[in-house]
């Protein structure tokens, strides 16, 4: 693949950008409107300049120069073809232009083309760094520094843990810096104290003594005095969290006891970062202007010796301050610019070297059915025979394992090398066949990949030396025989089997710090939690709800929901699901989104059977939409919950009965609810997938439980996923992610309200806003991609995959329907089965079928080849399943798609 050298029109955080000529008119993007709590207007960016000041520029006024933040293992796309194929970064080369500064902070010269390997940072350890201690690997999540301060008379004091003290920069302007690569203080900076006399009096004096007249000094040296380490792995325990926590070293560590392995992927060199050249490997030097680094033991002697030298030279030359500063303060250099080239392995298998980083864009939003060369995959097929488990999935032992050779992103087809059955885990695996597969019939089989940090498992516990670094490394290359090439921390390189190593997940250091904060806090919070639990056992008095007119309540809660096409629920699902285009009264948004819907969304309505969308209301179908049962189903997800219903108080029962009344009167025609006399806290809900969505004709089951504090707290909701993730809001674990349920962040009306929220709103929100026609945009942050090339690229295959998962869900529901809905499931698919098959057949034949939102232009886009391959595999199973229950109109499909028994 040839990449045209055109800078990206998109601008990302950490991009090096220019808004004029010269280094003073270029900087690094540190904030935009997408950052949480940002007050910046759209297309306005905050840019950090070389002097640590910031400016604000509009996107039209800036140009991307470099992206030094790209890293091995990152997925990227071409800036000139964002809708095309993606690739993975396998190599990055960055050179820096450094500005030399004087004691006034002014640039005196530029050193070009410096390799980062020849530099050291101001702090020896930074946030997010990976460090090794004996057999342990950890992440630095907090750093403490000691600052040595030089005064004009030659005295030197040390302020311990300077970040927590009242040490301040003398120039109190609003300067910024990137916390991952820098710290508050660096040599040459003029500092004082909030209360200088108190601060410097309690400091440790390395040369001279405290004098109340000394209130301003210059940072002479910055030392990392201690770090907080989150231990994540070891050569003996791997990444098993419980084992690591049980035997890991103390969290607080001295830097001398740690060995630096590598920086976090987010810690790349950028404009305004401070640095020094590394000292020569020899400890001896003939340069008197480069003093040896003092240790704890000789720090006082070192400084006193240097001060005597300073005063002597100063007296002789009569240039006290200049000589003293020249000898004692090593001013850091500042990164002025970066030049980065990248090696990329593209989806079509092409390997390209030396691509200018500005011609690539980070591609962090990757669908599950996107695959890259070198990734391991397994068959994701579905069958119902003796080789399957209780979910109808292939057992792991029966799944073929292969490695991706290439992918066609337009057709959604993948070329896979399938391995022969594994005999020995240490031997190279032979390729049995090379097949073209549908991306929707494959599942990623997680294995080491480019840039991954890995740990080699060693059973013997003899090695405890910091010197041994041969057990932690990074994946450098993937070999065709499944083996992995690893570059170890000791500099060696070797080929290993994936079974010999464990991949270390690289979480953001702030997440680790937050988790560690929970461990380190005192036990006072437990009492607060206990008090909260007691409050839950005594719910608030809801007698005022009882006196409300039910009709009035229905109007206040549902008038906006049902009668006005659900606009109320739009505020209750924050950052997870934008309202479907049909619900947004903006012609601009509607025009931008109507052509993004996937081919399956356009093919859900049979041209000869336009009325089947409402056939669930057929008079012959008499299943009640709301039903009160005496027996609670044993398979209800919350049946064994310790906090059972029955003794929750009179007010709670009245509140629940009022909810029942609303559901009975106002449920939409495609939602069915069962409640239970013996367990008033439990409900079971099934909803029919709406027309115009990838979920049409499908049945989706949810179990609900009302807490003892209801309606002060929202219900708990569990989705019967059958192990499938067919929507960003519905997890394989059964979690339903909605701000209305307090399972996702939100504010105001987005969250549950004891006054205005109801169970009806919950079920209507799930059907209308979760199971919608463009589920791709339900993912947090993805709503900003509506109408953009990145959104169009991903939304269509996401819909196709959601459609295939909906068909698989149909098979699961037919095989294992939730108790109480067995006949409902059979009756539904007896009537709807032929429409499911008709839609599948239309996709296979290339027939384009319209829907309410499709334009003439969008109707002309056929389904992908990958979807057709997947449907060809699925249809015989569907025909057999529908035929077994006596579905109407399946005869013609049975002839065409008979299930092979071979």
């Amino acid at each position: 693949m040839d990449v045209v050298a055109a800078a990206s029109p998109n601008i990302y955080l950490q991009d090096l950008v220019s808004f004029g000529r010269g280094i003073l008119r270029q900087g690094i993007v540190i904030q935009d409107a997408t950052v949480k709590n940002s007050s910046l207007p759209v297309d306005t960016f905050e840019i950090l300049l070389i002097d640590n000041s910031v400016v604000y520029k509009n996107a039209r006024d800036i140009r991307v120069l470099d992206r030094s933040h790209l890293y091995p293992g990152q997925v990227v796309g071409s800036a000139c073809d964002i809708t095309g194929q993606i690739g993975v970064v396998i190599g990055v080369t960055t050179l820096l232009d450094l500005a030399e500064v004087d004691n006034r902070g002014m640039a005196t010269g530029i050193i070009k083309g410096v390799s980062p390997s020849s530099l050291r940072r101001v702090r020896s350890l930074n946030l997010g760094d990976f460090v090794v201690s004996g057999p342990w690997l950890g992440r630095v999540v907090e750093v403490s520094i000691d600052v040595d301060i030089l005064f004009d008379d030659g005295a030197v004091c040390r302020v311990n843990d300077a970040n927590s003290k009242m040490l301040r920069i003398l120039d109190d302007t609003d300067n910024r810096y990137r916390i991952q690569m820098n710290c508050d203080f660096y040599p040459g900076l003029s500092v004082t104290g909030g209360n200088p006399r108190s601060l410097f009096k309690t400091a440790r004096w390395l040369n001279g003594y405290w004098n109340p007249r000394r209130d301003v000094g210059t940072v002479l040296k910055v030392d990392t005095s201690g770090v907080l380490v989150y231990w994540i792995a070891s050569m003996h325990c791997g990444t098993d969290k419980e084992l690591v926590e049980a035997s890991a070293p103390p969290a607080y560590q001295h830097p001398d006891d740690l060995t630096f392995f590598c920086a976090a992927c987010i810690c790349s060199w950028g404009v305004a970062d401070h640095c020094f050249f590394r000292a020569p490997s020899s400890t001896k030097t003939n340069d008197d202007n480069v003093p040896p680094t003092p240790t704890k033991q000789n720090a006082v002697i070192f400084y006193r010796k240097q001060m005597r030298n300073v005063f002597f030279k100063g007296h002789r030359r009569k240039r006290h301050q200049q000589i003293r500063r020249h000898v004692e303060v090593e001013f850091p250099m500042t990164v002025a610019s970066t030049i980065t080239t990248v090696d990329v392995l593209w989806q079509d298998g092409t390997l390209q070297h030396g691509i200018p980083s500005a011609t690539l864009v980070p591609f962090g939003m990757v669908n599950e059915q996107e695959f890259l060369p070198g990734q391991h995959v397994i068959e994701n097929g579905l069958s119902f025979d003796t080789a399957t488990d209780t979910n109808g999935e292939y057992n792991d032992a029966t799944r073929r394992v292969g490695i991706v050779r290439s992918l066609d992103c337009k057709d959604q087809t993948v070329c896979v090398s399938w391995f022969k059955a594994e005999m020995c885990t240490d031997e190279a695996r032979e390729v049995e066949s090379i097949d073209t597969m549908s991306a929707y019939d494959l599942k990623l089989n997680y294995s080491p990949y480019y840039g991954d940090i890995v740990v080699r498992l060693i059973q013997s516990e003899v090695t405890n030396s910091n010197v041994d670094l041969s057990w932690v490394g990074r994946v450098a290359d993937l070999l065709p025989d499944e083996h992995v090439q690893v570059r170890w921390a000791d500099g060696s390189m070797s080929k290993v089997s994936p079974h010999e190593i464990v991949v270390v997940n690289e979480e953001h250091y702030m997440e680790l710090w937050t988790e560690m904060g929970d461990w380190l806090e005192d036990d006072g919070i437990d009492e607060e939690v206990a008090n909260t639990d007691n409050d839950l056992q005594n719910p608030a008095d809801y007698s005022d709800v009882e006196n409300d007119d039910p009709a009035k309540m229905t109007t206040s809660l549902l008038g906006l929901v049902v009668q006005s096409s659900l606009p109320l629920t739009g505020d209750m699902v924050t950052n997870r699901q934008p309202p479907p285009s049909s619900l947004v009264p903006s012609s601009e948004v509607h025009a931008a989104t109507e052509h993004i819907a996937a081919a399956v969304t356009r093919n859900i309505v049979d041209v000869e059977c336009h009325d089947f969308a409402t056939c669930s209301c057929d008079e012959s179908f008499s299943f009640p939409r709301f039903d009160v049962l005496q027996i609670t189903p044993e398979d209800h997800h919350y049946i064994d919950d310790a906090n059972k219903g029955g003794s929750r108080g009179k007010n709670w029962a009245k509140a629940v009965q009022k909810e029942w009344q609303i559901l009975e009167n106002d449920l939409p025609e495609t939602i069915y609810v069962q409640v239970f006399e013996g367990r008033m806290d439990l409900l079971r809900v099934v909803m029919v997938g709406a027309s115009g969505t990838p979920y049409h004709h499908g049945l989706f089951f949810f179990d609900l439980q009302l807490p003892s504090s209801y309606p002060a707290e929202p219900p708990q909701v569990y989705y019967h996923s059958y192990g499938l993730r067919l929507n960003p809001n519905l997890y394989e674990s059964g979690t339903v992610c909605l701000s209305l349920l307090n399972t996702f962040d939100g504010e105001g009306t987005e969250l549950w309200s004891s006054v205005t929220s109801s169970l009806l709103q919950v079920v209507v929100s799930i059907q209308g806003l979760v199971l919608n026609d463009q589920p791709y945009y339900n993912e947090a942050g993805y709503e900003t991609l509506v109408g953009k090339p990145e959104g169009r690229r991903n939304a269509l295959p996401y819909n196709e995959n959601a459609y295939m998962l909906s068909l698989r869900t149909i098979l699961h529901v037919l095989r294992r329907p939730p108790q109480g809905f067995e006949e409902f499931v059979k009756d539904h698919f007896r009537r709807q089965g032929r429409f499911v098959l008709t839609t599948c057949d239309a996709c296979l034949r290339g027939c384009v079928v319209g829907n309410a939102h499709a334009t003439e232009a969008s109707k002309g886009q056929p389904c992908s080849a990958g979807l057709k391959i997947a449907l060809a595999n699925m249809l015989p199973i569907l025909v057999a399943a529908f035929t077994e229950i006596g579905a109407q109109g399946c005869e013609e499909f049975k002839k065409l798609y008979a299930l092979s028994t071979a």
Side-chain angles (χ1 to χ4, degrees), residues 130 167 222 272 359 385 413 597 769 885:
F130 288 81
L167 188 64
V222 176
T359 66
D385 55 26
T413 55
L769 298 181
I885 63 171

Side-chain angles (χ1 to χ4, degrees), residues 97-263:
D97 291 347
L98 303 179
E100 297 179 292
V101 296
D102 58 16
N103 59 356
R104 297 171 299 171
M106 301 298 294
T108 60
I110 300 292
I111 306 175
K112 290 184 173 290
V114 178
S115 171
S117 62
S118 63
L119 302 175
R120 63 179 175 87
R121 304 170 296 190
V122 173
R123 289 185 302 200
S124 60
L125 293 174
N126 278 343
L127 296 173
D129 284 353
F130 288 81
V131 292
V132 175
S133 177
W136 297 97
L137 176 67
R139 299 283 304 279
V140 174
V141 297
E142 191 174 289
V143 181
S144 296
I145 59 171
D146 293 345
V147 176
D148 294 353
I149 301 172
L150 169 68
F151 295 91
D152 288 340
D153 59 0
V156 178
C157 74
R158 173 168 296 170
V159 178
N160 295 320
D161 194 14
N163 287 329
S164 65
K165 304 293 177 59
M166 292 298 292
L167 188 64
R168 296 177 178 175
I169 301 173
L170 184 63
D171 183 8
D172 198 19
T173 56
D174 185 22
N175 289 341
R176 307 286 184 86
Y177 64 91
R178 297 194 304 150
I179 190 173
Q180 300 95 332
M181 294 291 289
N182 302 274
C183 59
D184 293 328
F185 310 103
Y186 54 87
L189 199 63
S190 296
V191 293
T192 184
N195 184 342
R197 293 187 178 185
S198 174
L199 176 65
F200 296 141
K201 183 177 182 180
T202 58
R204 180 187 179 194
W205 287 87
L206 304 178
N207 187 70
Y209 302 93
W210 173 73
N211 187 321
R213 292 193 298 266
R214 301 190 189 109
D215 56 1
V216 176
T218 301
V219 175
L220 181 65
K221 185 170 177 290
V222 176
D223 264 336
T224 302
S225 57
V227 294
L228 189 64
V229 180
Y230 185 107
W231 300 106
I232 56 176
S234 80
M235 67 167 70
H236 308 307
C237 305
T239 57
D240 187 292
K241 190 172 183 179
E242 292 185 0
L243 293 178
V244 170
E245 290 180 0
S247 54
Y252 290 101
Q253 293 284 320
H254 191 278
D256 292 348
D257 300 326
L258 302 172
T259 302
F260 172 80
F261 169 49
C262 68

Side-chain angles (χ1 to χ4, degrees), residues 268-557:
S268 58
W269 290 101
V271 168
D273 289 345
H274 299 290
C275 60
F276 300 95
F277 278 110
R278 290 185 181 275
S281 57
S282 173
T283 57
K284 296 181 179 181
T285 177
N286 297 322
D287 188 355
D288 294 335
N289 293 330
V290 183
T293 302
T295 63
K296 294 179 182 179
Q297 293 77 13
N298 66 10
V300 175
I301 299 175
F302 167 79
Y303 283 120
R304 287 177 178 171
K305 179 180 179 181
Q306 292 298 313
M307 290 305 107
R308 286 196 295 272
N309 190 34
V310 168
F311 282 126
F312 174 75
K313 292 182 178 180
H315 174 74
R316 183 177 60 187
R317 301 185 182 183
K318 299 186 184 302
R319 297 178 63 188
H320 302 262
Q321 187 172 354
Q322 293 181 9
I323 294 297
R324 182 179 302 115
R325 296 243 175 159
H326 176 71
V327 173
E328 297 306 322
V329 180
E330 180 188 8
F331 291 100
M333 293 170 292
T334 304
V335 176
S337 185
T338 59
I339 303 174
T340 305
T341 57
V342 181
D343 302 333
V344 177
L345 177 61
W346 298 101
Q347 281 182 315
D348 64 3
T350 303
L351 177 59
Q352 193 169 9
H353 297 277
I355 305 174
S357 61
T359 66
L360 301 171
V361 293
F363 217 94
M365 302 175 180
V366 180
N367 288 337
E368 289 185 3
Q369 72 281 355
E370 291 274 14
F371 300 101
L372 294 160
Q375 287 182 330
H376 289 203
V377 292
I378 56 178
E379 284 183 301
N380 195 29
L382 184 144
S383 179
F384 294 108
D385 55 26
T386 56
T388 61
D389 61 16
T390 57
N391 287 333
E393 302 288 347
Y394 284 116
N395 291 324
D396 289 342
T398 65
R399 294 176 187 256
R400 289 194 297 173
V401 179
I403 189 169
V404 174
R405 297 168 62 94
S406 62
L407 177 141
D408 188 318
C409 66
K410 301 298 184 183
D411 286 345
Q412 294 298 310
T413 55
V414 186
C415 181
V416 181
S417 294
W418 296 108
F419 294 119
K420 290 184 177 179
E422 189 174 40
M423 299 302 294
C424 179
T425 58
D426 295 329
E427 295 181 0
R429 302 186 67 174
E430 296 182 23
V431 174
E432 182 177 53
S433 63
I434 300 176
D435 298 330
T436 298
M437 306 286 295
S438 167
Y440 309 118
D441 284 339
L442 297 174
K443 183 178 181 179
L444 187 63
N445 188 27
Y446 291 99
S447 59
Y449 203 58
Y450 292 104
D452 282 347
I453 294 176
V454 295
V455 170
R456 175 158 46 190
L457 298 178
I458 301 175
Q459 298 301 322
S460 172
E461 299 189 7
V462 175
T463 303
N464 284 309
S465 172
N466 280 355
V467 178
D468 182 19
L469 298 175
S470 63
W471 57 273
V472 58
R474 290 197 102 130
V475 174
D477 200 6
L478 305 175
L479 305 179
D481 62 358
E482 197 186 23
H483 278 72
V484 180
Q485 197 84 15
V486 180
R487 180 177 288 105
W488 302 104
D490 62 359
S492 64
M493 182 95 74
S494 67
K495 182 177 74 171
V496 297
S497 167
H499 303 284
E500 299 178 55
I501 55 180
V502 177
V503 175
V504 177
N505 293 327
E506 187 168 347
E507 299 179 61
H508 195 282
Y509 68 88
M510 283 302 298
E511 296 178 3
L512 302 178
W513 180 85
T514 301
E515 184 177 341
M516 179 172 283
D518 294 337
W519 303 344
L520 300 178
E521 286 180 359
D522 57 34
D523 296 333
I525 192 171
D526 293 337
E527 182 178 353
E528 180 181 347
V529 174
N531 292 335
T532 302
D533 292 339
N534 291 334
D535 292 340
L536 295 181
Q537 302 304 321
N538 298 284
D541 184 5
Y542 300 108
S543 57
D544 56 329
V545 178
E546 177 189 3
N547 295 328
D548 287 344
D549 178 18
K552 182 177 180 180
M553 173 178 286
T554 302
T555 301
S556 62
L557 297 180

Side-chain angles (χ1 to χ4, degrees), residues 568 571-574 739-740 742 744-754 756-757:
L568 179 62
D571 289 332
M572 298 188 176
V573 191
T574 175
S739 54
L740 180 59
N742 293 349
F744 192 73
D745 292 338
E747 57 185 18
T749 57
E750 298 166 347
L751 299 173
W752 177 267
S753 168
S754 61
T756 60
S757 301

Side-chain angles (χ1 to χ4, degrees), residues 850-882:
N851 67 47
H853 299 153
T855 62
E856 288 301 321
S858 64
K859 290 178 182 179
Q861 187 174 4
C863 300
S864 70
L867 178 64
K868 294 177 181 179
I869 294 174
L871 285 174
N873 296 329
M874 175 67 72
L875 259 172
I877 304 174
L878 283 171
V879 170
F882 290 151

